[in-house]
Amino acid sequence: MKAFGVQVAGTGSYAPARILSNADLERMVETSDEWITTRTGIRERHIAAPDEATSDMATQAGRRALEAAGMTAADLDLIIVPTLTPDHPFPNTACYVQKKLGVPRIPCFGMEAACSGFLYALEIGASLVRTGAHRNVLIAAAEKLSAFTDYSDRNTCVLFGDGAGAVVLRPVPAGEDRFMASAIGAEGAHTDLLHIPAGGSAQPITHERLDQGLHFIKMEGREVFKLAVPAMVDAATAVLTEAGISSEQVRWLIPHQANTRIIDAVGKRLGLGEDRVYVNIARYGNTSAASIPLALDEVVRKGLVQRGEYVLMVAFGGGLTWGATLIRW
Ligand code: UT7
């Protein structure tokens, strides 16, 4: 049912002040700036303060998105926080964001689809706006991955950073819909390639599991890499086909920022040159669910996208999950 169209009314982002550079990591594990930049494209990442939680970052990004939308928190009627690093197992992180924004009595939920979380949330949020069930929806994706990263494991600690990115969705007349197409998917056969083994109900925290570091992110990087490129290309192609848009018409591909080699391969296979693929991984590393909205906010605030231009977002991550969304700005 399509009672309304959907538009991104405003974007916002936030990155914590502290920066962890490749040179800093060289002093922590056996690695080199040369290895990290050539294999991943990452030069530095932001790290949250010890007392700064995921909800603090989501709230900052959310405030900026509201301001850009010309709204206040009182205008919201739903908050969704996609994250794999919630403040607590429960209550859900969106309730903390609600408290910090000071907006009473609206529904709030957190959700987890790892690095694809923002695009999962966009599909859900846009669908709810489209039916008329909710009007102004804040999606504030945030991650404090540093809290779940083993800084003695060079396979993972060079990759991840903290940050947040947010959008406010609002209804527009059905004929002016800006959400062209969306596709999300998952393949649970690959749950163990990228995960945090302990801390949930399957493996509750014990002293033994803590000693083994099972509460940290584990990744089979090479295997994930191989699956990422085709999944992202397939999802992106599916939404372009559904919308009847060719890749030449896309102004910006905003991919999940996990690795420049993955981004380059996806851009190439979609026939999009470097001038149409937005990459900011050098400054943030992989911020999981936050990476796409953080990049989108940069594109918007730099004035790089004009009204009517097509923006294609595509993600891939733990689950394994993936997603793609095409919007007309
Ligand atoms: O965001 C969710 C989705 N995640 C992804 O999409 C990530 C996908 N995977 C990747 O981006 C890449 O696989 C990594 C960046 C994680 C790793 O790059 P790679 O080219 O696949 O390297 P590798 O894991 O095959 O390791 C190559 C070598 C190994 O040494 P040997 O066995 O060849 O002697 C590693 O031990 O590089 C070594 N290595 C490192 N060396 C220096 C691994 N990490 C490091 C490091 N510094 N930080």
Side-chain angles (χ1 to χ4, degrees), residues 299-313:
V299 167
V300 172
R301 282 175 197 263
K302 286 180 183 170
L304 299 177
V305 62
Q306 309 307 321
R307 193 182 159 95
E309 290 181 333
Y310 291 106
V311 176
L312 175 60
M313 298 172 278

Side-chain angles (χ1 to χ4, degrees), residues 29-32 35-36 39-40 114-115 153-160 194 219-226 228 232 256-259 261-262 286 288 316-318 320:
V29 287
E30 201 181 324
T31 190
S32 65
W35 191 96
I36 302 170
R39 297 287 182 125
T40 72
C115 305
D153 174 13
R154 71 175 184 176
N155 289 301
T156 52
C157 74
V158 302
L159 304 173
F160 301 115
L194 177 50
M219 178 165 72
E220 302 286 337
R222 209 174 298 188
E223 296 309 309
V224 175
F225 192 118
K226 276 191 249 167
M232 290 169 87
H256 169 50
Q257 311 280 316
N259 188 319
R261 289 183 292 143
I262 294 176
N286 180 346
S288 191
F316 184 81
L320 297 173

Side-chain angles (χ1 to χ4, degrees), residues 12 14 53-64 79-82 87 93-94 97 101 138-143 163-166:
Y14 171 81
T54 294
S55 64
D56 293 311
M57 294 186 276
T59 302
Q60 295 279 6
R63 280 203 184 104
R64 290 172 187 173
I79 301 174
I80 309 174
V81 175
D87 285 19
T93 305
V97 173
L101 287 175
L138 172 65
I139 300 174
E143 301 283 11

Side-chain angles (χ1 to χ4, degrees), residues 8 10-12 80-84 111-126 138-143 164-169 179 182 184 254 256 287-297 313-315 321 323-325 327:
V8 174
T11 65
I80 309 174
V81 175
T83 184
L84 68 86
M111 53 145 295
E112 200 274 286
C115 305
S116 312
F118 176 70
L119 295 188
Y120 268 62
L122 258 193
E123 178 155 318
I124 296 166
L138 172 65
I139 300 174
E143 301 283 11
V167 297
V168 177
L169 304 181
F179 274 63
S182 170
I184 52 176
I254 302 184
H256 169 50
T287 58
S288 191
S291 92
I292 290 178
L294 213 163
L296 175 66
D297 185 49
M313 298 172 278
V314 62
T321 55
T325 305
I327 59 178

